[in-house]
Each structure stands twice: as structure tokens, then as C-alpha cells.
Amino acid sequence: WQAHRMLPLVRGWLERDFPGVEVLPFDAFPHENTVIGTDATADLVAQSGRKGAPLSLAAYQALQTAFYFADGARAARLLDEALRTNPIGQLSISEAPYAEIVSAYALAGQPDKARSMMVQWHTRRAAEPAIEDSIRAHAMVGQIALAERRFADAQREFRAADSRGCPICNMPMLGRAYDVAGTPDSAIAVFERFLVTPTMDRSAVDGPFRPVVHKRLGELYEAKGQREKALEHYRAFLDLWKDADPELQPRVTDARQRVAALTSGTDVRR
């Protein structure tokens, strides 16, 4: 998800931790959506023998639509159409993106469809179990519980998922579960822990979540009257998303306006 926006951050980490390291120029990587996340890419992957590529791409697009733009209706339509044209039951269990589709339907406000997908996954996985099944199950149940506003259940499931696998992968959603439950102090604690918890490879999680976690922390601290903490996180968000795609720029504008308001228009680091 928008992983290309993390390249400057990754470069900074490498140069800080490994002085003298040679880092490839950014133009050696695919930028924007010219290669990653396009129908053409999905077609190329499918031609290589991976039949699940079109459905995985649709799930990716639906997740972005629901998560970044809060357009649940459009996200659900994307998934419905993709599942009609690419029946998930015709894919091998190893290629079928059940977890992503469950998450996307849940974020789109369609917990019944999410649960139906999870039941299908549970039935199929019995014949081909995998080591990470319990982790996936906890995460999917957590997403469904959050969509149904069963916040305590969602919090328990997200904690269980991270306790058995990647220690940060479900932490942003755990913070969100506290946030929408109306417990901002708990949400702040989880979001802050997400930002600093060390793990082997953060890029796949930082790409979609780190910017929005900074933005939300800025809003939460601002609501609590903690001006400096709010500014710290708004500025971190702006550093990551200042060159975001046009459709995401309204969030950038909002953060800039908040910084201006908190600094009486004197901030020069925007």
C-alpha cells in the first residue's frame, strides 16, 4: 500500500544505521501507480501462473477505498464485482486472498459478507492448514467485531493476533478499536507503541498505517490540549504525505491548516 512513499524514510534509516552504505536512486524503483497496484500488473502476474492476482488487486483497491476514503459502498461494489468475475472458490487456498477480502468487507461496513468469507475460509483451510491460520483467524474476527462495534471483542482479537505473530501488524487496528470506542488515552498508548516497537521488517505495515497513525495522534493530542505533541505528529504526517496523490491531498491540507492554527500561522516547517 503506497509503499513507494516510504522509500525516503527507508533511505534515511539505512544511511543512519549503516554509514557509507550505497542506496539505489529512487528512480530505480517503480513510482506512483505506474507499475504497482494496476490491472496491467495483475495481468502480468496472472500470466506467470498466479491466478489470484486480479482478486488480490481488487481486495487491495477495496481496502484503500474503505480505509483512506471511508467509501464503504464503493469498496463493497469493487469486491462484489471482483468476486463475480473471479470466484474465490476456484483459487487454491494458498492464493485466495480471504484475509484481505474479510478485512475489506469489514472496513466497508459489511460484516455479514466478511463473516461469510471467513466461514468459507475456515471450511477450506481444514483440508490444507497453515502455520499462520490462528493469527489470520484472530485478525479476521477482530475486523468483523470492530465493524459490528463490539469493541472489547475486537481489542481482544487484535491483541491475540499480534501476540502470536508480527508484533505490530494489527496494532493500528487495535488503536482504532480503542479510538472508536471512545477511549482516547488507550488509543494514544497503542498508536505510540506502534510507532516505536522494533521489528525485523516494518515496511509492509508502515506504508499504509504510519502516516495515518501520525495524523490521528495529532488530532487526539490536539483534543487533549497537548499542543507540542499534536504538532510533532502533524509534522511527521506532512513529511510522509506532502507528495501524496491528488485524491489524498485534502488530508494534507487539513493537517497544514491544523499546524497553522496551532502556531498562529507562524510555522515555517510546513
Side-chain angles (χ1 to χ4, degrees):
W1 285 4
Q2 309 294 334
H4 57 277
R5 294 194 178 86
M6 296 303 296
L7 290 175
L9 185 60
V10 172
R11 179 174 188 159
W13 290 337
L14 289 171
E15 291 175 339
R16 179 197 65 199
D17 295 338
F18 303 95
V21 68
E22 181 180 357
V23 181
L24 289 174
F26 297 154
D27 59 9
F29 297 88
H31 278 255
E32 302 304 327
N33 291 318
T34 55
V35 175
I36 298 173
T38 65
D39 291 333
T41 302
D43 290 341
L44 287 172
V45 176
Q47 290 169 20
S48 72
R50 295 190 62 82
K51 299 179 181 179
L55 193 53
S56 293
L57 174 62
Y60 162 88
Q61 292 172 333
L63 281 164
Q64 284 196 318
T65 300
F67 186 72
Y68 289 128
F69 303 107
D71 191 344
R74 181 166 176 262
R77 288 196 301 271
L78 285 169
L79 290 172
D80 291 346
E81 177 60 26
L83 288 165
R84 276 194 295 271
T85 56
N86 303 277
I88 196 168
Q90 295 181 10
L91 299 174
S92 67
I93 187 74
S94 62
E95 280 199 74
Y98 280 107
E100 292 80 1
I101 290 174
V102 168
S103 295
Y105 268 133
L107 283 169
Q110 300 283 336
D112 290 342
K113 290 183 177 180
R115 184 179 291 103
S116 176
M117 281 287 109
M118 186 173 179
V119 168
Q120 187 180 140
W121 169 80
H122 186 76
T123 300
R124 293 186 65 191
R125 79 178 180 93
E128 299 181 61
I131 293 174
E132 295 185 347
D133 280 351
S134 64
I135 299 170
R136 293 191 185 102
H138 282 300
M140 287 190 278
V141 171
Q143 292 280 13
I144 293 168
L146 184 55
E148 294 178 333
R149 303 184 68 79
R150 292 184 287 109
F151 301 128
D153 292 341
Q155 293 157 12
R156 181 184 64 250
E157 295 297 330
F158 289 137
R159 283 195 300 268
D162 277 355
S163 70
R164 302 185 183 192
C166 163
I168 64 167
C169 289
N170 292 282
M171 209 178 284
M173 297 309 299
L174 174 60
R176 180 172 176 154
Y178 282 115
D179 193 2
V180 297
T183 51
D185 288 343
S186 296
I188 287 172
V190 172
F191 286 145
E192 290 281 18
R193 190 163 73 248
F194 165 73
L195 294 174
V196 300
T197 298
T199 188
M200 288 294 291
D201 181 11
R202 297 188 56 107
S203 59
V205 186
D206 276 340
F209 290 117
R210 194 176 190 88
V212 293
V213 164
H214 276 303
K215 176 75 158 50
R216 187 58 185 146
L217 276 170
E219 293 164 351
L220 290 168
Y221 279 123
E222 183 179 2
K224 290 172 66 68
Q226 295 182 238
R227 174 181 174 275
E228 292 304 319
K229 293 294 291 183
L231 285 170
E232 172 190 339
H233 289 288
Y234 285 141
R235 288 167 178 155
F237 167 75
L238 289 170
D239 284 342
L240 292 171
W241 263 25
K242 59 181 179 292
D243 298 319
D245 294 340
E247 60 269 27
L248 297 173
Q249 282 298 320
R251 290 195 179 193
V252 178
T253 299
D254 176 71
R256 286 190 174 123
Q257 291 172 342
R258 288 173 180 268
V259 168
L262 289 169
T263 58
S264 300
T266 62
D267 188 74
V268 296
R269 286 173 284 179
R270 291 176 284 155

